[in-house]
Amino acid sequence: MQYTVKKPINNNILRVVDPTGCELIVTGRGLGFGVKPGYKIEAETVERSYRMTSPAVQQKLVELLEQIPYEHLLLTDELVAMIRSRVNYPLNESLLITLADHISFAIQRSEQGIRFSNPLMAPIREFYPEEYRLGMECLATIRQRCHADLSDDEGGFIALHIVNAELNTTMSVVNDVTRFVDGCVQVVECFYNCHFDRDALDFSRFTVHLRFFAQRVFQGKQEQENDTHDEVFRALIARNCSEHYKCACCIAEYVRNTWHKELSDEELVFLTIHLKRIRMGK
């Protein structure tokens, strides 16, 4: 099979069209040297190829590859493959782009002696433990391969990029989600006057629930109220789990005052059940 060159990006990367007319990005050391639009190249000479489902994402990839070193793309591609093999959630295809951009910029900053602190490191470790471990593993690989003097904070940033790809949203929303979850946990610990075991399974379930609830809140996708049977169930939960229901109401007040969002009765019930699980596990 042959590809038709649409545009050389650099000596290692080409924008091409396959025999079916689909556009993709192909890479290989020296692949683009002396190549011009309209040239034919054999598929066997290509080391890696990228075809994004969204034209907009494809264009972002092209623009990024015009700006970062080829080695940074190869490293990020390897890291993304490792991440995809280790997570249970589908990841947005933009992860390659956002992570390559971040890694390349972080390496450039380290060469200039510039460091960025990550104010969310503690919540990231607590609420996204698997993503945090993957972020630190990626960081270790980057340090080894690129001899870059990167702080541990960069592992936290990488973890947020992974969460971003899992939630299929923007980094701004991911930051808000992290702060949202952290605030809710502080409310709960204050209400019960205790500090929960971050490694406990029920605590993990609770924070995962908060993560996806926060995502719905910030993306305007909250569940709609159902029929009167749910109202009866809510009243039953509120009566039989009164202490935990009061805690859930405190969370609702925090969300209302801080984030200007309302929790549905259904969400109060779910929170109450999770809170009961956490307390029973102590």
Side-chain angles (χ1 to χ4, degrees):
M1 183 176 68
Q2 289 185 322
Y3 296 123
T4 303
V5 176
K6 185 174 182 179
K7 178 187 176 183
I9 296 178
N10 56 43
N11 286 341
N12 305 303
I13 305 172
L14 298 172
R15 195 172 182 175
V16 302
V17 177
D18 69 13
T20 68
C22 292
E23 183 178 311
L24 61 157
I25 306 298
V26 296
T27 71
R29 293 197 179 276
L31 186 65
F33 184 76
V35 172
K36 297 181 180 179
Y39 276 31
K40 304 288 186 180
I41 63 169
E42 297 295 333
E44 291 76 13
T45 64
V46 171
E47 294 178 3
R48 305 187 190 192
S49 62
Y50 306 92
R51 177 182 292 155
M52 303 300 179
T53 58
S54 165
V57 176
Q58 184 86 351
Q59 181 58 35
K60 287 182 180 178
L61 177 60
V62 171
E63 293 172 359
L64 176 66
L65 296 182
E66 292 174 339
Q67 302 171 23
I68 69 171
Y70 179 52
E71 289 72 18
H72 293 175
L73 169 67
L74 294 181
L75 175 58
T76 306
D77 191 37
E78 180 182 328
L79 295 176
V80 169
M82 181 274 290
I83 293 167
R84 289 186 184 279
S85 71
R86 302 266 286 277
V87 300
N88 296 322
Y89 302 108
L91 298 175
N92 188 289
E93 64 180 356
S94 294
L95 178 60
L96 175 66
I97 299 172
T98 59
L99 196 54
D101 188 33
H102 177 86
I103 289 173
S104 186
F105 185 45
I107 293 172
Q108 292 176 43
R109 282 191 284 104
S110 72
E111 292 171 349
Q112 300 168 5
I114 302 172
R115 288 175 177 261
F116 286 170
S117 63
N118 189 339
L120 297 176
M121 280 294 283
I124 291 169
R125 280 194 300 268
E126 293 177 1
F127 308 140
Y128 314 125
E130 180 58 27
E131 292 84 355
Y132 177 77
R133 284 191 289 269
L134 288 171
M136 296 307 292
E137 189 173 332
C138 289
L139 177 60
T141 300
I142 297 167
R143 284 168 169 167
Q144 180 183 21
R145 299 279 187 85
C146 302
H147 308 289
D149 182 22
L150 299 176
S151 68
D152 286 352
D153 291 50
E154 293 297 339
F157 286 126
I158 293 172
L160 285 183
H161 279 287
I162 299 171
V163 175
N164 177 34
E166 289 176 347
L167 298 181
N168 195 25
T169 185
T170 65
M171 284 298 290
S172 175
V173 169
V174 170
N175 287 334
D176 284 343
V177 166
T178 305
R179 290 186 172 92
F180 178 99
V181 174
D182 188 37
C184 289
V185 169
Q186 289 184 42
V187 169
V188 172
E189 292 187 327
C190 180
F191 181 88
Y192 292 117
N193 191 27
C194 69
H195 183 78
F196 290 113
D197 179 6
R198 265 53 175 171
D199 295 325
L201 177 60
D202 287 330
F203 183 82
S204 176
R205 286 172 176 162
F206 178 56
T207 56
V208 167
H209 174 76
L210 288 175
R211 281 171 55 182
F212 286 99
F213 166 60
Q215 181 193 14
R216 295 195 300 274
V217 167
F218 291 119
Q219 294 184 339
K221 297 179 180 179
Q222 272 191 273
E223 301 283 345
Q224 298 297 317
E225 296 293 334
N226 292 321
D227 55 28
T228 54
H229 294 290
D230 288 332
E231 178 61 27
V232 172
F233 182 60
R234 183 194 66 79
L236 181 66
I237 291 294
R239 183 174 67 252
N240 293 343
C241 308
S242 58
E243 181 187 19
H244 310 307
Y245 185 77
K246 288 178 183 177
C247 184
C249 289
C250 289
I251 294 175
E253 183 178 3
Y254 158 74
V255 173
R256 183 183 307 113
N257 293 337
T258 305
W259 300 100
H260 311 294
K261 305 289 184 180
E262 294 291 336
L263 269 66
S264 67
D265 287 342
E266 183 180 20
E267 194 59 49
L268 284 173
V269 168
F270 284 133
L271 284 172
T272 301
I273 293 172
H274 279 292
L275 290 167
K276 183 178 180 181
R277 281 180 175 175
I278 293 176
R279 294 300 289 166
M280 288 178 65
K282 287 192 68 64

